[in-house]
């Protein structure tokens, strides 16, 4: 079995990346995190049938051969995984100090992780519905402050434009999008991320 996972307390970039990866790997099972942000919960509940996400309980006990991990470099314990499970990480955050040497990593410098996966979808010419396009656009918009943060790259802008061409609904997106951070808040966030120290203590990841 091939699982697609992201982090808990998931924001729209995490869930947009989850959906984008599922478009790339339709044979895989995309697992919705147990905990998501409030605005994400509203979107995923309303469009659950169209998004096609699964829950952890649905794959309990099955052997997991492969995991694709998006928008994070930390893997929660998943029943059915083992040392033989291959892990492929796709993320836009800087590489953590302590990483698994057996995992494969694609870490690109983009404002949103969703952007990386949308580029792959565009390159392969894969089709998707407008609801998925809107979710992926939300992922890019939320992590780039609607393309206004200094961390926004031309790749994010091109990916957003492509999603609009594929039917992403800006009116729907504005309904679920949280207000962007202020300039001071974004500067503080960038400083925290830059100075972040990751430690693994007794199988728990601690961020300082």
């Amino acid at each position: 079995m091939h699982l697609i996972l992201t982090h808990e307390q998931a924001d729209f970039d995490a869930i947009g990346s989850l959906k984008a990866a599922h478009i790339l790997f339709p044979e895989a099972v995309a697992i919705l995190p147990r905990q998501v942000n409030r605005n994400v919960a509203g979107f995923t509940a309303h469009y659950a049938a169209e998004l096609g996400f699964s829950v952890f309980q649905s794959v309990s006990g099955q052997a997991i051969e492969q995991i694709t991990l998006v928008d994070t470099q930390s893997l929660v314990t998943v029943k059915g995984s083992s040392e033989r499970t291959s892990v492929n990480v796709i993320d836009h955050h800087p590489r953590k100090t302590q990483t698994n040497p057996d995992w494969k990593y694609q870490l690109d410098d983009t404002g949103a992780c969703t952007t990386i996966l949308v580029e792959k979808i565009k390159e392969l010419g894969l089709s998707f519905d407008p609801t998925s396009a809107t979710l992926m656009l939300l992922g890019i918009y939320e992590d780039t402050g609607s393309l206004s943060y200094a961390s926004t790259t031309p790749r994010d802008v091109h990916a957003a434009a492509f999603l609009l061409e594929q039917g992403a609904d800006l009116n729907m997106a504005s309904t679920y999008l949280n207000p962007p951070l202020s300039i001071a808040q974004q500067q503080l966030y960038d400083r925290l991320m830059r100075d972040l120290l990751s430690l693994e203590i007794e199988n728990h990841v601690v961020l300082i």
Side-chain angles (χ1 to χ4, degrees):
M1 173 177 287
H2 178 186
L3 295 187
I4 306 171
L5 303 174
T6 189
H7 57 83
E8 294 294 328
Q9 299 295 348
D11 58 5
F12 271 118
D13 190 27
I15 302 303
S17 298
L18 192 72
K19 182 60 193 179
H22 199 206
I23 295 170
L24 288 167
F25 308 110
E27 78 289 348
V29 180
I31 300 294
L32 191 68
R34 298 179 181 91
Q35 298 178 350
V36 300
N37 291 353
R38 184 172 60 181
N39 55 342
V40 175
F43 187 96
T44 54
H46 195 275
Y47 298 101
E50 298 171 60
L51 296 175
F53 293 140
S54 300
V55 295
F56 278 101
Q57 293 88 334
S58 65
V59 297
S60 178
Q62 301 186 52
I64 301 169
E65 290 84 24
Q66 182 178 353
I67 292 175
T68 297
L69 195 59
V70 296
D71 197 38
T72 182
Q73 298 167 45
S74 299
L75 179 61
V76 298
T77 302
V78 182
K79 189 175 181 180
S81 62
S82 67
E83 294 181 354
R84 295 188 297 274
T85 302
S86 64
V87 179
N88 181 34
V89 177
I90 302 172
D91 193 15
H92 70 125
H93 300 106
R95 186 158 185 156
K96 295 171 63 174
T97 305
Q98 297 180 350
T99 55
N100 192 317
D102 296 326
W103 292 2
K104 295 180 180 178
Y105 292 86
Q106 179 178 351
L107 306 177
D108 287 8
D109 185 17
T110 55
C113 183
T114 304
T115 294
I116 303 168
L117 294 145
V118 168
E119 289 176 336
K120 296 177 184 291
I121 291 171
K122 181 179 180 181
E123 181 181 350
L124 294 172
L126 302 177
S127 60
F128 48 91
D129 59 87
T131 300
S132 298
T134 302
L135 174 56
M136 291 184 284
L137 183 69
L138 277 164
I140 296 173
Y141 269 26
E142 188 172 68
D143 258 28
T144 64
S146 299
L147 306 177
S148 70
Y149 291 162
S151 58
T152 304
T153 69
R155 294 171 62 181
D156 299 300
V157 178
H158 290 313
F162 169 71
L163 292 170
L164 289 171
E165 292 171 349
Q166 302 306 308
D169 188 334
L170 281 174
N171 290 324
M172 186 193 304
S174 65
T175 301
Y176 292 95
L177 191 63
N178 280 337
L181 300 177
S182 68
I183 294 176
Q185 289 171 330
Q186 183 62 34
Q187 289 174 340
L188 175 59
Y189 174 80
D190 291 340
R191 181 180 174 186
L192 289 170
M193 291 301 298
R194 184 178 63 248
D195 297 336
L196 194 65
L197 175 63
S198 175
L199 302 174
E200 185 170 343
I201 303 174
E202 295 186 0
N203 296 321
H204 293 279
V205 176
V206 178
L207 303 179
I208 300 174

